[in-house]
Amino acid sequence: MIDTLIRQAKGYAKQAADSYREATAYPQPICRVDVNGQDITSAIEQRLISIELTDNRGIEADQLTISLSDHDGLLAIPPRGATVSLWLGWSDTGLVSKGSYTVDETEHSGAPDVLSIRARSADMRQGLTAKKERSWTGQTLGTIVQTVAAAYGLSPVISAALSALKLAQVDQANESDANLLTRLGEQFDAIAAIKAGRLLFMPAGKSLTASGAPLPHITLTRADGDGHRYLQADRNSYSGARAYYYEVNSAEKKEAIAGGGDNLKDLRHTYTDQEAALRAARAEWSRLQRGTATLSYTLAKGRPDLIPELTYSLTGIKAEIAAIVWLGANVRHSFTPDAYTTSLELESKLPDSDDVAELAEDGSYTGIIAWYRDEKTGKQHKLTEGDQTVPKRLTHLYQSEASARRALQREYERLEGGS
């Protein structure tokens, strides 16, 4: 009898030990928070409710919110202007730096009493939002970006192709430098962003590092996700984009069109020459096409390494989602002591081909073009079907040759059936 009880006790002890090992072996979310260079993680870990970090694509400041319990009323409200540095990660892989932020807002609410600390990217220099009056005549885009960067002690990083573009006239009339950079980004389909002391001006959707090297491609499955929302919009809501311009010594208002058809999106800004207007129209048309398919995807296990402008493949949800390559926009990290998730905002990636904006979009097609990404090399390849005199380009960059060929054949059959 005693031996039986001893064996049972040993069995229970073994089960408890196995359960403990299993529980402790599962990765735990971890973080580190520094304020003005001092690590305060241990001081706040018992009070930490949540950390929310939004990594924005473009000039908009990244935003950090830290919520702490003030149940005993002992927390002091921190001063604005303090620098908060954040690291996120997992116990089995370690921490990843998520940057530094300047506290610009604090809030105390209750009950229960909670102190919320909100901060924005420390790289957003004071004065970027102040309005200015100046003009550039016959200067390159690189010169303008470098001038703005120098005013705030930032290192300019601009792609060679964009830097060399010469602009007839750029007027900054009662406009902030932040808005100027955003406007130039829209005109040239570029991403203007301030990260780690650098002013970046890079082509949108190209998935390149500041040095021009390709960013990593991320493959996700349904098992990685905690929730998704896929939206496919009617691309025929707009058939193209139109920008207006005036030629020198002429009062006649002229137009430059990217795409075609009757339902054009008109750009509000009027340009000084045809080249600038056409460039802006093409940039807007590319943005419209990237938005024809969007996907929100929440990862059950947060990924601190994910940033905007990465490309993604997603399998296991729907064939339409798996067929194309996705481009990362904003990334949101949500951290609590018990969980860490990452939410992605994705849009359809367009092919990188230089002739994308040149292709006809007026419906009088003679053939079809589709591009796909080679899984092994990451390079993009083109497939064609039919007469290529006036080809229709399929909007998406496809995940594989097989998915591109299926889409190509399907669209060509529609073209043949309608002819």
Side-chain angles (χ1 to χ4, degrees):
M1 181 68 176
I2 294 177
D3 291 339
T4 301
L5 292 174
I6 291 174
R7 284 196 299 271
Q8 288 178 344
K10 287 182 177 179
Y12 293 145
K14 184 177 184 302
Q15 289 178 1
D18 290 342
S19 298
Y20 176 78
R21 280 194 296 271
E22 183 178 347
T24 55
Y26 188 81
Q28 300 297 310
I30 57 175
C31 71
R32 174 179 167 180
V33 179
D34 286 10
V35 175
N36 293 332
Q38 181 178 355
D39 186 353
I40 65 165
T41 310
S42 59
I44 67 170
E45 61 183 355
Q46 297 302 317
R47 297 178 177 272
L48 182 62
I49 298 173
S50 66
I51 297 174
E52 297 285 341
L53 172 63
T54 301
D55 192 352
N56 290 309
R57 180 174 66 175
I59 202 69
E60 184 181 359
D62 300 338
Q63 298 185 42
L64 170 67
T65 300
I66 300 176
S67 298
L68 303 172
S69 171
D70 192 24
H71 57 278
D72 52 8
L74 296 179
L75 279 180
I77 297 178
R80 288 179 298 171
T83 299
V84 179
S85 300
L86 176 68
W87 290 258
L88 296 175
W90 293 89
S91 56
D92 60 336
T93 55
L95 293 166
V96 175
S97 173
K98 301 307 297 177
S100 297
Y101 306 84
T102 301
V103 175
D104 65 351
E105 183 177 299
T106 55
E107 176 185 336
H108 197 277
S109 61
D113 285 8
V114 174
L115 175 63
S116 297
I117 303 167
R118 300 185 181 94
R120 297 178 185 270
S121 307
D123 286 313
M124 291 298 289
R125 272 30 178 197
Q126 187 175 7
L128 262 172
T129 56
K131 294 181 179 180
K132 296 181 179 179
E133 297 272 350
R134 55 180 167 177
S135 297
W136 288 270
T137 302
Q139 298 294 322
T140 64
L141 182 57
T143 298
I144 297 174
V145 173
Q146 289 165 12
T147 300
V148 174
Y152 303 99
L154 298 168
S155 299
V157 179
I158 179 171
S159 75
L162 290 172
S163 181
L165 293 175
K166 195 168 185 178
L167 310 182
Q169 184 72 24
V170 174
D171 296 316
Q172 186 177 1
N174 196 30
E175 182 181 28
S176 68
D177 285 338
N179 195 74
L180 172 68
L181 291 170
T182 300
R183 176 162 62 87
L184 290 173
E186 291 175 351
Q187 181 176 344
F188 295 96
D189 197 24
I191 298 294
I194 297 176
K195 306 282 186 182
R198 297 179 297 179
L199 173 54
L200 308 179
F201 202 88
M202 308 295 292
K206 301 300 184 183
S207 299
L208 300 174
T209 66
S211 63
L215 287 167
H217 181 80
I218 308 298
T219 299
L220 301 173
T221 68
R222 179 155 198 154
D224 297 313
D226 196 36
H228 73 276
R229 182 174 181 270
Y230 170 64
L231 176 64
Q232 191 168 21
D234 181 5
R235 77 185 299 267
N236 293 322
S237 57
Y238 283 113
S239 57
R242 175 168 52 198
Y244 293 97
Y245 68 96
Y246 288 101
E247 289 187 337
V248 178
N249 299 323
S250 173
E252 182 183 357
K253 192 175 186 179
K254 298 188 176 183
E255 60 185 33
I257 296 174
D262 298 325
N263 193 18
L264 301 174
K265 180 178 180 180
D266 289 329
L267 279 64
R268 290 181 297 176
H269 186 76
T270 300
Y271 295 87
T272 56
D273 60 272
Q274 182 185 28
E275 184 180 3
L278 185 56
R279 225 185 257 126
R282 288 173 175 170
E284 183 61 28
W285 182 223
S286 292
R287 275 191 294 276
L288 289 171
Q289 291 179 98
R290 282 197 296 269
T292 58
T294 59
L295 176 65
S296 300
Y297 202 66
T298 300
L299 302 181
K301 183 180 179 182
R303 292 274 302 265
D305 59 315
L306 299 185
I307 58 175
E309 284 290 295
L310 296 180
T311 56
Y312 296 83
S313 299
L314 292 100
T315 61
I317 302 177
K318 299 295 288 184
E320 293 85 350
I321 296 175
I324 64 177
V325 176
W326 294 91
L327 176 68
N330 295 348
V331 180
R332 183 181 180 89
H333 300 277
S334 301
F335 182 96
T336 71
D338 301 317
Y340 169 29
T341 62
T342 299
S343 300
L344 306 172
E345 295 297 328
L346 309 175
E347 60 189 21
S348 170
K349 177 170 170 55
L350 301 184
D352 291 338
S353 176
D354 292 335
D355 63 353
V356 162
E358 304 290 345
L359 298 176
E361 295 286 349
D362 61 2
S364 303
Y365 307 115
T366 59
I368 308 293
I369 295 177
W371 278 268
Y372 69 93
R373 177 184 180 274
D374 187 291
E375 185 177 359
K376 293 182 179 179
T377 66
K379 294 182 178 180
Q380 298 181 20
H381 301 285
K382 180 170 68 173
L383 297 176
T384 63
E385 188 73 39
D387 181 2
Q388 295 298 297
T389 304
V390 186
K392 176 181 180 180
R393 175 184 61 83
L394 300 188
T395 303
H396 309 303
L397 174 65
Y398 289 89
Q399 176 57 39
S400 65
E401 181 179 0
S403 60
R405 197 169 293 282
R406 283 193 296 270
L408 189 76
Q409 190 61 41
R410 183 171 59 246
E411 195 64 30
Y412 187 67
E413 289 175 358
R414 290 176 184 167
L415 180 66
E416 289 286 276
S419 59

